[in-house]
Amino acid sequence: MLEADLLDVDWDGFINPHKAAFTREFAELMSKFGKTHVHFGVDSLSEPVLKEIRKGFTVADVAQAVET
């Protein structure tokens, strides 16, 4: 989208908070598009529940993503 100069395209989505998916670089790219909010598809902040429903991230990943 950056290469195509589509900075004015309005987009949104649920972002995976896994440390490999939501990085500072990705957050900075979102900022270039004027994004000021992030929707994390978390579902739970319980390690056993996250593991059981196979979310693929941990409570620590969520905390790091929120801090980022």
Side-chain angles (χ1 to χ4, degrees):
M1 292 177 75
L2 286 173
E3 291 174 10
D5 195 28
L6 297 174
L7 292 175
D8 59 338
V9 172
D10 190 23
W11 58 272
D12 195 3
F14 286 92
I15 308 298
N16 185 319
H18 188 278
K19 61 188 168 208
F22 189 75
T23 62
R24 179 155 308 281
E25 178 183 36
F26 185 68
E28 289 171 356
L29 282 172
M30 289 180 68
S31 180
K32 287 183 180 181
F33 281 92
K35 299 303 170 189
T36 58
H37 297 82
V38 176
H39 303 280
F40 293 118
V42 175
D43 297 325
S44 177
L45 288 176
S46 164
E47 292 292 354
V49 172
L50 290 173
K51 186 174 182 177
E52 180 68 26
I53 62 176
R54 297 184 175 131
K55 290 302 285 185
F57 54 80
T58 65
V59 172
D61 290 334
V62 174
Q64 179 63 46
V66 170
E67 184 177 319
T68 298

